[in-house]
Amino acid sequence: MSEELNRISLTIPENLLDQLDEVLEKKDYSSRSEAIRDALRDFLTDYRWKEELKGKQRGVVVMVYDYDVKGLNKKLLDIQHEERDLIKSVQHLHVGRHECMEAIIANGLGERIRDLTDSLKSLDGVKQVKLAVVGR
Ligand code: NI
C-alpha cells in the first residue's frame, strides 16, 4: 500500500543545499525529496526518543558553535552555571578559526538533560547539538 504524498516548499540556505547534494551524490538517493524524507524520519525518531527520556540518566551533549556570535559565550556559560548540579564535566576543543566544540557530560534526570540540549540548540550561533545517552 503506497502512502499518499503531499507537496511542500522549503527554504534553506545555499550551503545546506550544497551539503545535501553532496550526500545525494554519494548515497543512492534518487531525489532530494527522498533524502529529506529520510532526514525527517530521523528527526522525528530523535524527537520522540528525547520526549521519552525519564528518570536518572547519564549522557553527553556534544555541540559545535561559532564563538564569534555576539553574546553566545555568555549565554552558554549562563546555562552551564545554572545547570551546574546536572553537568559533571565540560570538555572544550577549538576546532576551527571561529569554531568550538564542547562535550558536556551530564548525570541527572532525563528531562533535565533533554531541556539542557534543547536550550543549547535554540541559541543563535550553535550549529549542531547531539545528545547521546548511555544505559545505567
Ligand atoms: Ni574554542
Side-chain angles (χ1 to χ4, degrees), residues 92-94 100:
H92 185 103
L93 190 69
H94 311 303
C100 298

Side-chain angles (χ1 to χ4, degrees), residues 65 67 92-95 99-101:
Y65 63 92
Y67 79 78
H92 185 103
L93 190 69
H94 311 303
V95 288
E99 216 172 48
C100 298
M101 184 175 110

Side-chain angles (χ1 to χ4, degrees), residues 94-109:
H94 311 303
V95 288
R97 183 69 191 84
H98 300 275
E99 216 172 48
C100 298
M101 184 175 110
E102 260 176 28
I104 300 168
I105 298 176
N107 190 351
L109 288 177

Side-chain angles (χ1 to χ4, degrees), residues 48-62:
R48 278 187 221 106
W49 173 75
K50 273 193 244 142
E51 284 298 294
E52 286 164 12
L53 273 183
K54 294 208 167 31
K56 280 276 269 177
Q57 305 280 350
R58 55 190 177 198
V60 187
V61 185
V62 181

Side-chain angles (χ1 to χ4, degrees), residues 5-127:
L5 297 173
N6 293 293
R7 184 179 299 272
I8 60 164
S9 76
L10 194 65
T11 312
I12 60 173
E14 195 176 344
N15 174 272
L16 200 56
L17 188 60
D18 289 345
Q19 290 182 59
L20 176 69
D21 287 340
E22 269 177 43
V23 174
L24 285 174
E25 271 179 38
K26 286 180 188 161
K27 304 270 182 183
D28 277 341
Y29 286 113
S30 59
S31 66
R32 283 174 175 164
S33 289
E34 198 189 327
I36 290 170
R37 282 196 290 271
D38 243 17
L40 194 53
R41 280 185 205 103
D42 276 353
F43 169 84
L44 292 170
T45 302
D46 188 61
Y47 174 81
R48 278 187 221 106
W49 173 75
K50 273 193 244 142
E51 284 298 294
E52 286 164 12
L53 273 183
K54 294 208 167 31
K56 280 276 269 177
Q57 305 280 350
R58 55 190 177 198
V60 187
V61 185
V62 181
M63 68 172 167
V64 174
Y65 63 92
D66 182 346
Y67 79 78
D68 247 1
V69 171
K70 201 170 182 293
L72 179 59
N73 271 323
K74 165 98 170 68
K75 284 179 194 157
L76 289 173
L77 283 175
D78 282 348
I79 290 172
Q80 292 185 23
H81 280 261
E82 274 164 30
E83 298 297 340
R84 63 194 174 277
D85 61 321
L86 181 71
I87 295 172
K88 302 303 166 195
S89 166
V90 180
Q91 187 92 45
H92 185 103
L93 190 69
H94 311 303
V95 288
R97 183 69 191 84
H98 300 275
E99 216 172 48
C100 298
M101 184 175 110
E102 260 176 28
I104 300 168
I105 298 176
N107 190 351
L109 288 177
E111 296 94 320
R112 288 186 59 203
I113 299 176
R114 186 194 61 215
D115 291 348
L116 170 68
T117 308
D118 289 341
S119 52
L120 295 171
K121 216 176 249 185
S122 70
L123 297 174
D124 194 26
V126 173
K127 295 171 173 177

